[in-house]
Amino acid sequence: MMAKVSSVNIRPGVNVLSVLPHLNYKAWYALAEFVDNAIQSSVDHAKSLRSVAGKDYRLRVDIDFDQAESKITIRDNAAGIASPDYQRAFRPAEIPLDASGLSEFGMGMKSAACWFAPNWSVRSSALGERTERTVFFNIDKIVMDSIEELNVVSIDVAEDKHYTEVRLENIRKFPHGKTIAKIKEHLASIYRVYIRDNSLELYVDGVKLEYEDPAILVAPNYRDPDGPSVKWKKDINLDLGDGKSATGFVAIREVASTRLAGLALFRRKRLILGSADETYRPEDIFGRSNTYPYQRILGEIHLRGFHVSHTKDGVKWEESEDEFLRKLRKELSEEALPLIQQAREYRTKSGAKATRKDAVQALRSAADGFHQTMTAANDIGFELGVIAETSPTPTTGHEAEPQDISETDREEAEIRLQFRNEPWIVRIELSYANDHTDWLTIRDRPSITDPEPREILIRVAMLHPFMAQFQTLDSEGFSAILKVASAMALAEVTAAELGDHHPSAVRRFTNEILKTHFSKRVIDD
């Protein structure tokens, strides 16, 4: 028989509510508390929900942001809050009878709601009951007046109605633009297991969240480039003792990502550590941020026997993390599938193409920086000796006249400057043509035979073996490389004007050295 609920007692711990806004939450982890409650409700009452809603029942959670009214609404179609559970549900720190699921601390909804807003309410209709109940919280008033009991507003509804709706009002710091985009990305990451198995449909502002699994590298072993292709993914099953274990997989991304590579750690199918761009990358496995393992290795590890922080965004390792990392590194270094070593040593041309956006940004900044450098040099009276009154010796052969390439295979920037008392046009071009050209080619148009400004074309082959080792550089790193290329080009032109009969030797030898000696990165183990 359904018990009549006219009020809920929130004693003891009323003063705790005033502390909750100061918790170290992030918006996505706070919202995840409401999703956790909905998931647990649907799991606990799965059979009853299917009997009412049909065998195709799916849990649906909607999170909607209303900036105009400074309100966030979270609604689900789970089993609702049953009358016998009302007192426990709203009393702070009331641990549920079964704490083996996602609702284990008895604080999730209360702490997350108070963190977001000083005013919030919960409206719920429990499966099999004919009553919808609503409880209103005004935290400032509750704390100031030491209120220990709240009224419950009830109305009659159909027996087959089942839902819970939480309204957070007067949001302390309302999420905007990029933050909402990050909330979507993180929630999709946190609940990827439930999204994959179709047990959860999660919507934010009416948009259904999806989780896109990154492509896994399929390629030969770096030690045998002409050998058979292998899928670089390894199942993990580690016994850590004392009832603790770690299972899942670790793999190599097909396309490296400084932002998204790393491990995601789960417990009870829900991500705890390593959401979206906040992945878990211990140095024992990944090295430092400028290494390839840091940008290529990914994995999903499910932990058992571990406790988590009360905000569910951290693992309480106690003394087990070192053992976990030691065993994991050993697994990933085994000769049969040396995953860490492959992540370090394997090179792919697709990586250079994937970072084209960063390279283009670097091209622009390098041109700007080059202009500033040349201006500064002129300002301090930079000279390279007496200039001969004869035409500089032009370079010859295919190096001096690189063939035109398709516009889709190149990016170009142009700068104009005064250098050595005459106008110059310097074009810096990035070539993505799939050939085996030299890393750097230069074309110089002497001013004596052409009345137009001096023009130099500096072309860098982005798919050259030397560049393959820099495929994960950001725009700042690319800029440094392009500045080196620019400096070499001007050095050669200057050498020609000083009367050197073989100025291309500088570039020719540089190309040879880069290709034969510096195109394989050496990384200490």
Side-chain angles (χ1 to χ4, degrees):
M1 181 177 177
M2 181 183 70
K4 183 177 181 180
V5 181
S6 59
S7 65
V8 290
N9 190 300
I10 58 174
R11 179 175 58 90
V14 169
N15 289 331
V16 171
L17 298 177
S18 64
V19 178
L20 298 180
H22 305 289
L23 288 175
N24 188 28
Y25 263 130
K26 291 183 178 178
W28 40 91
Y29 279 111
L31 290 168
E33 297 285 10
F34 305 109
V35 182
D36 285 351
N37 286 348
I39 291 175
Q40 195 58 49
S41 174
S42 68
V43 169
D44 292 343
H45 301 90
K47 185 175 180 180
S48 298
L49 287 166
R50 283 194 295 269
S51 68
V52 172
K55 64 179 181 179
D56 294 329
Y57 166 80
R58 292 288 183 275
L59 172 64
R60 173 167 174 157
V61 180
D62 285 83
I63 301 172
D64 294 300
F65 296 93
D66 186 341
Q67 183 177 352
E69 296 189 14
S70 188
K71 178 176 66 176
I72 300 174
T73 304
I74 306 100
R75 182 183 174 93
D76 67 64
N77 65 343
I81 304 174
S83 53
D85 296 328
Y86 252 72
Q87 301 300 330
R88 177 198 58 77
F90 294 100
R91 188 179 297 126
E94 186 78 9
I95 297 175
L97 297 177
D98 182 2
S100 62
L102 298 184
S103 303
E104 58 185 302
F105 298 114
M107 284 296 293
M109 178 180 69
K110 282 86 72 175
S111 60
C114 290
W115 183 81
F116 267 115
N119 305 98
W120 52 279
S121 62
V122 180
R123 183 168 65 95
S124 183
S125 175
L127 184 67
E129 299 184 7
R130 297 176 181 273
T131 304
E132 174 195 278
R133 303 181 183 89
T134 306
V135 180
F136 296 90
F137 279 74
N138 182 325
I139 303 305
D140 293 340
K141 184 174 178 59
I142 289 171
V143 173
M144 182 178 295
D145 297 342
S146 298
I147 296 173
E148 296 183 346
E149 193 165 86
L150 300 177
N151 292 328
V152 176
V153 178
S154 301
I155 62 172
D156 293 335
V157 294
E159 188 175 2
D160 63 350
K161 297 296 183 181
H162 51 94
Y163 52 82
T164 297
E165 181 181 275
V166 180
R167 292 188 180 184
L168 312 172
E169 300 180 270
N170 301 320
I171 304 300
R172 292 187 174 87
K173 188 176 181 181
F174 200 92
H176 297 91
K178 292 183 179 180
T179 303
I180 292 179
K182 284 181 69 69
I183 286 171
K184 292 178 179 179
E185 182 183 27
H186 280 272
L187 288 178
S189 180
I190 291 169
Y191 295 104
R192 68 183 77 172
V193 176
Y194 294 95
I195 291 172
R196 280 193 197 122
D197 66 18
N198 293 317
S199 61
L200 169 66
E201 294 180 351
L202 183 55
Y203 289 78
V204 176
D205 284 340
V207 177
K208 186 178 181 181
L209 302 188
E210 303 287 352
Y211 181 79
E212 183 176 354
D213 292 297
I216 304 301
L217 178 67
V218 177
N221 191 304
Y222 74 97
R223 292 174 178 167
D224 184 12
D226 298 321
S229 291
V230 176
K231 185 172 184 179
W232 290 90
K233 180 178 180 180
K234 187 167 191 175
D235 291 333
I236 301 298
N237 190 346
L238 305 178
D239 183 352
L240 303 175
D242 296 327
K244 298 176 180 178
S245 64
T247 60
F249 74 88
V250 178
I252 299 177
R253 295 177 58 96
E254 181 178 79
V255 177
S257 173
T258 302
R259 196 175 79 91
L260 296 176
L263 300 181
L265 304 184
F266 295 77
R267 192 193 63 151
R268 302 172 185 175
K269 294 174 63 175
R270 191 261 211 197
L271 185 145
I272 300 298
L273 181 62
S275 171
D277 59 351
E278 298 178 344
T279 49
Y280 175 65
R281 284 187 264 199
E283 193 169 320
D284 287 358
I285 304 294
F286 291 85
R288 297 184 179 181
S289 60
N290 62 345
T291 63
Y292 279 99
Y294 189 92
Q295 299 153 348
R296 282 178 168 167
I297 294 177
L298 72 110
E300 295 183 4
I301 303 294
H302 293 260
L303 302 175
R304 291 178 177 82
F306 288 88
H307 296 292
V308 299
S309 64
H310 71 280
T311 49
K312 300 180 191 172
D313 58 359
V315 177
K316 292 186 176 180
W317 291 103
E318 295 173 346
E319 297 180 357
S320 299
E321 186 173 18
D322 288 344
E323 179 71 0
F324 165 66
L325 294 177
R326 185 185 67 80
K327 289 189 174 183
L328 182 60
R329 182 180 175 83
K330 183 178 179 181
E331 284 280 322
L332 301 182
S333 302
E334 287 185 349
E335 191 66 24
L337 197 71
L339 200 139
I340 294 178
Q341 292 88 335
Q342 177 77 2
R344 278 187 189 144
E345 303 297 341
Y346 180 72
R347 303 292 182 263
T348 171
K349 289 182 178 180
S350 64
K353 293 180 179 178
T355 58
R356 188 165 178 164
K357 182 178 179 181
D358 283 332
V360 171
Q361 183 178 341
L363 179 61
R364 305 292 184 257
S365 63
D368 292 343
F370 181 66
H371 180 206
Q372 294 167 7
T373 300
M374 292 299 100
T375 300
N378 287 334
D379 288 344
I380 62 173
F382 179 75
E383 292 291 345
L384 292 175
V386 178
I387 306 301
E389 293 298 331
T390 59
S391 174
T393 303
T395 53
T396 59
H398 74 280
E399 291 181 325
E401 294 292 332
Q403 298 297 311
D404 288 338
I405 57 177
S406 167
E407 288 190 8
T408 60
D409 286 334
R410 71 175 188 236
E411 303 286 353
E412 183 178 300
E414 175 186 296
I415 60 174
R416 295 173 179 266
L417 68 154
Q418 283 290 124
F419 180 51
R420 294 175 54 242
N421 299 319
E422 63 178 313
W424 291 72
I425 296 176
V426 179
R427 301 184 193 276
I428 308 174
E429 183 180 282
L430 308 184
S431 169
Y432 286 86
N434 194 13
D435 55 22
H436 298 285
T437 187
D438 289 336
W439 172 65
L440 179 66
T441 51
I442 305 168
R443 181 167 55 198
D444 174 28
R445 292 174 57 193
S447 59
I448 292 177
T449 58
D450 193 330
E452 297 298 321
R454 292 285 299 276
E455 183 176 317
I456 296 178
L457 171 65
I458 303 169
R459 179 177 292 172
V460 178
M462 298 300 287
L463 302 187
H464 187 276
F466 172 65
M467 292 303 298
Q469 62 192 311
F470 302 118
Q471 60 190 244
T472 57
L473 283 179
D474 57 15
S475 61
E476 185 177 349
F478 276 122
S479 182
I481 291 176
L482 296 179
K483 287 177 180 178
V484 170
S486 301
M488 290 175 61
L490 286 194
E492 179 172 320
V493 171
T494 303
E497 295 191 350
L498 288 174
D500 193 315
H501 294 290
H502 301 285
S504 64
V506 175
R507 185 176 78 260
R508 198 165 58 246
F509 290 147
T510 300
N511 282 323
E512 181 179 345
I513 293 169
L514 289 175
K515 188 171 185 178
T516 59
H517 296 286
F518 295 153
S519 292
K520 181 179 180 182
R521 190 176 187 184
V522 179
I523 304 177
D524 295 332
D525 287 334

